[in-house]
Amino acid sequence: MQHAEIELKFRVGDAREFHARALRAGFQIHTERTLERNTLFDTSERRLLSERQILRLREYNGRNLLTHKKPPADNDDTSFYKERVETETDVADPDALATVFVELGYGPVFRYEKFRTEFRDGQGELLLDETPIGIFAELEGTPDWIDRALERLNVSRELCFTDSYGRMFLDWKQRSASLAENMTFEEIESSRALV
């Protein structure tokens, strides 16, 4: 299935407080807090990254999903919101698919994990992500809906950003001088123990 994905992220200080705030703002829980594991694939030259595309295998809530994302043809880099064309499908055997990717020249280049709670209100989606490098929320929906959701959640537009988790990890890694190569709970905890 292919669709336009429009999103915006912001940092969250306390997951429990934000969870309660989301419910007070009229969101309902769609998926309880669940571990999500992701692997990004690319060529050794990082061709997909240079073209601002991703090829991802995700394990989440009992499903394995293959996702491809790319900027839309009329992409506006100055937009306040991040917009991507997303194509996603369920995968019966992710290990076999990963082997096919490797045979085609796409190897695993980055792994990241998070505990995700999904909220919905019938018009858009609010995602609460507890990652090894911090807690973040993401709004997915139309720009008008995102603006209204920010107001309902009492979040200032100045606190919002459009970075991917890969970009956020690289920024965190530079600030923290971590030796971690992936944004997994085990790897980041191990790298913190070495400091």
Side-chain angles (χ1 to χ4, degrees):
M1 178 176 76
Q2 188 176 72
H3 68 278
E5 177 189 68
I6 302 170
E7 66 179 45
L8 203 58
K9 288 186 180 77
F10 53 91
R11 184 175 286 279
V12 171
D14 180 274
R16 285 186 185 190
E17 183 279 327
F18 187 81
H19 187 282
R21 188 185 339 166
L23 295 176
R24 285 193 308 272
F27 290 91
Q28 295 84 39
I29 295 176
H30 179 71
T31 304
E32 294 283 352
R33 185 178 186 266
T34 303
L35 180 64
E36 176 187 292
R37 293 187 173 100
N38 300 276
T39 304
L40 298 184
F41 289 80
D42 205 340
T43 64
S44 57
E45 301 82 25
R46 300 289 178 101
R47 182 181 65 82
L48 294 177
L49 178 63
S50 71
E51 297 172 358
R52 299 171 57 206
Q53 298 185 60
I54 69 156
L55 182 61
R56 178 183 70 204
L57 278 176
R58 170 174 284 173
E59 177 188 335
Y60 176 65
N61 200 25
R63 297 173 68 193
N64 293 293
L65 297 166
L66 169 64
T67 306
H68 173 257
K69 294 186 185 187
K70 66 179 184 177
D74 60 348
N75 189 53
D76 178 5
D77 283 334
T78 64
S79 174
F80 182 66
Y81 313 94
K82 181 177 185 177
E83 185 173 351
R84 295 289 176 261
V85 176
E86 180 179 89
T87 306
E88 191 167 70
T89 189
D90 283 283
V91 174
D93 189 341
D95 293 332
L97 186 57
T99 300
V100 171
F101 286 162
V102 169
E103 292 294 322
L104 293 172
Y106 295 92
V109 294
F110 179 59
R111 291 180 302 115
Y112 63 103
E113 297 175 333
K114 54 195 172 187
F115 283 96
R116 171 166 274 185
T117 305
E118 294 183 53
F119 302 85
R120 294 192 178 162
D121 70 351
Q123 296 181 22
E125 203 168 31
L126 168 62
L127 310 167
L128 176 60
D129 290 338
E130 300 169 64
T131 81
I133 62 170
I135 305 168
F136 305 92
E138 184 174 301
L139 292 166
E140 291 185 11
T142 66
D144 288 345
W145 178 83
I146 291 173
D147 290 344
R148 290 191 308 274
L150 288 172
E151 288 179 19
R152 286 165 46 198
L153 294 164
N154 196 28
V155 174
S156 169
R157 287 172 58 96
E158 289 75 34
L159 299 177
C160 299
F161 54 91
T162 60
D163 292 343
S164 68
Y165 280 111
R167 165 66 14 218
M168 292 162 61
F169 171 73
L170 292 175
D171 291 345
W172 171 86
K173 186 174 168 169
Q174 184 176 20
R175 287 190 315 271
S176 67
S178 172
L179 300 177
E181 293 298 320
N182 297 285
M183 195 177 85
T184 65
F185 290 98
E186 181 180 350
E187 193 168 333
I188 287 183
E189 193 57 40
S190 296
S191 73
R192 285 181 175 146
L194 296 174
V195 176

